[in-house]
Amino acid sequence: MSGADPLTRSAECLADAQRVVVLTGAGMSRESGVPTFRDALTGLWSRYDPMQLATPEAFAHDPSLVFDWYFERWRRARAASPHAGHDALVRLALRFERFTIITQNVDGLHQRAGSSEVIELHGSLEAFRCSDEGHPWDPSQFGASAGADHSTAVPVCDACGASIRPGVVWFGESLPDNAVRSAWASVEAADAVLVVGTSAIVYPAAELPLVAQRQGASVIEINPDRTPLSQVTTVAWVERAGAALPALVKRLEQTESK
Ligand code: OAD
């Protein structure tokens, strides 16, 4: 593995890869203006700890507060746009036989950028559903005033009358079976894994790069900070997603055109 700089080493890892997996976390959406999970909550939410809001117990205790928080996050996600890093992943996908994005994010930005194979490990802000039968519920039908003062009466399902809940995995809940199966199958077959914008401390998602590495895949981490993964990855690229991913695509395209 030649070259000191992480861009060169990352391009070398991908040069002969055929099956690539990208694991993304909240840092991938940071440059779209969506705060990371562990950013201090802003404004009206600053007095709440997200770990206290993202649980079934919190919803049972104060459904309006939890519903408002997710409805606010849905509105912010809808107002956000994919950035150059999301666009770079769409272009990167064209270069490989298989290209799978496994995201811990719930904001839908990968899909809005045009990525087609996206596994949402932690659910989606777009997937509000009723808490009994799972009937889907469309948040865009809900009045704009909702969520402003955390006193919104939680809407109920037209079909069965149960409270509407976010389609996001809460702490203590299991991940969607099909997402887990697909995610594990993709890393078990991967030649290379890009880990972008995750603190790599929440399991089972944080296990995925290690599964890939154990079967021989190279692991490239893109993150402006170090994480528990940094010391075991093939390349620890200390950089923002919006800078690193476009540079990586450009380098691979340059190498190919030589
Ligand atoms: P975190 O907020 O824990 O970590 C965000 C990571 O992104 C940090 O390591 C930052 O250094 C990094 N970061 C910040 N800006 C970045 C940028 N511009 N480019 C690249 N990286 C950047 O968010 P997650 O790791 O996604 O789960 O959190 C994982 C899970 O913890 C979430 O999905 C959520 C929470 O429990 C559930 O809600 C089930």
Side-chain angles (χ1 to χ4, degrees), residues 25-27 31 36-38 104 122 169 171 197-199 202 223-225 241:
E31 290 154 275
T36 66
F37 201 86
R38 287 162 179 79
Q104 301 171 87
H122 292 164
V169 175
F171 290 107
T198 180
S199 54
V202 172
N223 193 322
D225 296 336

Side-chain angles (χ1 to χ4, degrees), residues 2-211:
S2 67
D5 67 294
L7 167 56
T8 300
R9 287 186 288 137
S10 300
E12 285 175 349
C13 286
L14 293 179
D16 303 326
Q18 294 178 316
R19 293 175 303 282
V20 173
V21 170
V22 185
L23 172 66
T24 63
M28 180 74 216
S29 300
R30 191 81 176 69
E31 290 154 275
S32 290
V34 178
T36 66
F37 201 86
R38 287 162 179 79
D39 272 341
L41 287 172
T42 54
L44 286 171
W45 296 102
S46 55
R47 65 178 182 278
Y48 296 100
D49 171 2
M51 305 300 177
Q52 302 305 317
L53 290 171
T55 68
E57 295 75 19
F59 187 63
H61 175 69
D62 191 341
S64 289
L65 178 69
V66 173
F67 179 88
D68 277 344
W69 184 50
Y70 280 97
F71 191 73
E72 180 67 18
R73 288 179 66 192
W74 169 79
R75 280 199 303 204
R76 289 181 69 151
R78 276 291 183 97
S81 303
H83 60 73
H86 293 102
D87 299 338
L89 288 180
V90 176
R91 286 165 55 203
L92 212 49
L94 304 174
R95 310 183 59 80
F96 302 100
E97 182 189 296
R98 289 298 301 274
F99 190 88
T100 306
I101 296 176
I102 304 169
T103 189
Q104 301 171 87
N105 300 336
V106 294
D107 53 37
L109 286 174
H110 285 301
Q111 295 93 321
R112 282 169 48 201
S115 290
S116 50
E117 196 171 339
V118 181
I119 300 171
E120 292 178 311
L121 217 45
H122 292 164
S124 168
L125 287 170
E126 291 294 336
F128 281 88
R129 65 176 190 267
C130 84
S131 39
D132 276 4
E133 311 278 332
H135 297 122
W137 183 80
D138 176 5
S140 56
Q141 70 183 350
F142 205 54
S145 62
D149 57 1
H150 319 323
S151 60
T152 309
V154 177
V156 295
C157 175
D158 295 339
C160 71
S163 300
I164 299 300
R165 60 156 288 172
V168 172
V169 175
W170 281 330
F171 290 107
E173 291 185 320
S174 50
L175 274 53
D177 287 342
N178 54 339
V180 171
R181 267 196 306 275
S182 311
W184 258 254
S186 60
V187 290
E188 282 161 358
D191 304 313
V193 176
L194 281 163
V195 184
V196 186
T198 180
S199 54
I201 54 178
V202 172
Y203 283 77
E207 181 66 20
L208 288 163
L210 305 176
V211 170

